[in-house]
C-alpha cells in the first residue's frame, strides 16, 4: 500500500508541535500568573485562566515607589541601545584587523582573544570593579556599559566572516587608492549588514538580560536595571509572585519584539560567520 507524501511529514509536524507547546508553556504560565491575585497564585486548586483578570498588578508595578520600575526599564534600554551598536562596531573593526591586516603577532592576539572565552565572567568582576570604581563609574550607566563594549565572541565571528569576504572587492578598492581604513569603511562595512544586524541583536539581548555586573556596579536604586528591579520582588522576607510575573512580562516584551524582527538576520549571520564549521 502506497504511503501518501503528506503522511511522511506527519511525525515531524507532531514533534514540532510538541516542542512548540513545551516552549510556549513558560510564557503561558507567566501571563496567567501576572493576571492573578496572590491568593489565586498560591491556591492549591489549579485553574487554566484567572477569574477575574487582575490588571492591577501592572498598575501596581509602576506605582510602587520602593522599586523604580519605569526608571529601571529606561536604564536597561539605555545600556542595551548603546552597548549593541558600539560593541558591534568594535567587534567588526577588531575582526577585520585580525582577518586582513598581516602584522607580527596577529595569531597570538587571536589566540589570546579566544582564550578569554574560557575565563568565567565572575572571575573578572573584582579587577573590573576596581578599575571602573577608581574612574568613578559606580552607580553610573557608563560604568555598566563600558566593560561590555568588547566581546570576544563577536570578534571571533566577525573574523570568520571577513576571512570569507571577497578579496577581489578589497583589491579593487586599493586600486582606487584606499587604505585599510578606507576599504573597511567604504566597502567592507556596508557589505556586512547581515552580520552586524545579527550580532547587534544578540548583544542587545545579552545587555538587556545582564544581571551580575549591573548588580555589582549599580548599588543605588537610581542605577538599577530592569533585572535588578525584578529581583526585589523575590527576597528572603517576602515573595510577591503576581508583581514578579507582571514585571517579567513587561521586561521580556522588548526582547520578544527584537527576536521576531531580527530572527532571520541572526540565523543568516551565524551561518555566514562559519560557526557551523
Amino acid at each position: 500500500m502506497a504511503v501518501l507524501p503528506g503522511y511522511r511529514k506527519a511525525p515531524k509536524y507532531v514533534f514540532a508541535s510538541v516542542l512548540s507547546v513545551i516552549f510556549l508553556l513558560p510564557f503561558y504560565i507567566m501571563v496567567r500568573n501576572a493576571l492573578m491575585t496572590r491568593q489565586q497564585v498560591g491556591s492549591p486548586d489549579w485553574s487554566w485562566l484567572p477569574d477575574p483578570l487582575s490588571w492591577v498588578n501592572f498598575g501596581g508595578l509602576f506605582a510602587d515607589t520602593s522599586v523604580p520600575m519605569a526608571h529601571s526599564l529606561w536604564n536597561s534600554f539605555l545600556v542595551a541601545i548603546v552597548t549593541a551598536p558600539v560593541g558591534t562596531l568594535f567587534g567588526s573593526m577588531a575582526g577585520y584587523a585580525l582577518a586582513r591586516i598581516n602584522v607580527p603577532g596577529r595569531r597570538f592576539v587571536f589566540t589570546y582573544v579566544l582564550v578569554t572565552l574560557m575565563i568565567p565572567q565572575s572571575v573578572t568582576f573584582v579587577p573590573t570593579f576596581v578599575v571602573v570604581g577608581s574612574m568613578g563609574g559606580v552607580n553610573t550607566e557608563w560604568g555598566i556599559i563600558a566593560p561590555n563594549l568588547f566581546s570576544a565572541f563577536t570578534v571571533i565571528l566577525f573574523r570568520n566572516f571577513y576571512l570569507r569576504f571577497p578579496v577581489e572587492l578589497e583589491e579593487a578598492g586599493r586600486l582606487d587608492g584606499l587604505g585599510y581604513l578606507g576599504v573597511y569603511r567604504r566597502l567592507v562595512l556596508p557589505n556586512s549588514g547581515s552580520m552586524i544586524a545579527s550580532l547587534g541583536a544578540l548583544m542587545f539581548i545579552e545587555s538587556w538580560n545582564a544581571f551580575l555586573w549591573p548588580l555589582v556596579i549599580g548599588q543605588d536604586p537610581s542605577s538599577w536595571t530592569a533585572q535588578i528591579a525584578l529581583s526585589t520582588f523575590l527576597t528572603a522576607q517576602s515573595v510577591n509572585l503576581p508583581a514578579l510575573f507582571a514585571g517579567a512580562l513587561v521586561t521580556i516584551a522588548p526582547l520578544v519584539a527584537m527576536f521576531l524582527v531580527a530572527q532571520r538576520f541572526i540565523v543568516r549571520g551565524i551561518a555566514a560567520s562559519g560557526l557551523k564549521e
Side-chain angles (χ1 to χ4, degrees):
M1 181 178 179
V3 179
L4 296 178
Y7 285 100
R8 296 177 180 176
K9 297 182 180 180
K12 296 181 180 179
Y13 290 136
V14 172
F15 182 68
S17 299
V18 172
L19 288 181
S20 299
V21 171
I22 296 174
F23 176 77
L24 293 174
L25 183 60
F27 294 95
Y28 158 72
I29 297 295
M30 190 182 304
V31 175
R32 169 187 173 272
N33 291 355
L35 296 174
M36 282 185 167
T37 63
R38 285 194 182 190
Q39 292 75 17
Q40 290 174 327
V41 172
S43 174
D45 298 325
W46 174 264
S47 59
W48 289 100
L49 295 174
D51 185 25
L53 299 178
S54 182
W55 296 99
V56 296
N57 293 329
F58 294 95
L61 186 68
F62 296 98
D64 189 353
T65 56
S66 62
V67 182
M69 195 65 194
H71 188 69
S72 299
L73 286 169
W74 165 251
N75 286 340
S76 289
F77 177 78
L78 181 63
V79 169
I81 206 65
V82 173
T83 302
V86 177
T88 304
L89 179 62
F90 286 171
S92 174
M93 295 171 66
Y96 179 73
L98 291 173
R100 286 290 190 259
I101 302 178
N102 190 12
V103 296
R106 183 180 64 171
R107 291 184 178 274
F108 172 77
V109 173
F110 173 69
T111 303
Y112 178 78
V113 173
L114 189 61
V115 168
T116 59
L117 290 175
M118 306 176 189
I119 302 175
Q121 190 180 18
S122 57
V123 174
T124 63
F125 275 178
V126 173
T128 305
F129 180 83
V130 171
V131 173
V132 175
S134 64
M135 299 172 64
V138 178
N139 294 326
T140 62
E141 285 78 8
W142 75 262
I144 301 175
I145 295 170
N148 298 314
L149 291 180
F150 179 82
S151 170
F153 178 75
T154 303
V155 172
I156 292 171
L157 260 65
F158 268 116
R159 174 187 176 272
N160 292 344
F161 174 75
Y162 289 135
L163 285 175
R164 293 162 174 77
F165 196 84
V167 179
E168 297 80 10
L169 189 61
E170 299 180 57
E171 291 177 347
R174 293 194 179 91
L175 290 176
D176 291 337
L178 297 177
Y180 282 113
L181 182 60
V183 169
Y184 171 77
R185 183 171 62 88
R186 297 190 179 185
L187 299 177
V188 176
L189 191 61
N191 288 282
S192 307
S194 61
M195 280 295 296
I196 291 174
S198 61
L199 292 180
L202 290 176
M203 289 195 73
F204 183 94
I205 294 172
E206 182 181 2
S207 300
W208 185 276
N209 284 332
F211 178 77
L212 288 179
W213 176 248
L215 178 64
V216 170
I217 202 69
Q219 302 172 5
D220 189 83
S222 62
S223 59
W224 285 356
T225 60
Q227 309 303 329
I228 309 303
L230 277 179
S231 67
T232 61
F233 295 111
L234 186 61
T235 65
Q237 290 75 29
S238 63
V239 178
N240 189 349
L241 287 179
L244 180 63
F245 282 106
L249 194 61
V250 171
T251 303
I252 69 168
L255 298 184
V256 173
M258 169 66 71
F259 180 77
L260 292 177
V261 172
Q263 58 178 333
R264 60 175 181 173
F265 296 106
I266 294 175
V267 174
R268 188 186 308 168
I270 293 179
S273 70
L275 187 66
K276 59 184 177 180
E277 299 177 1

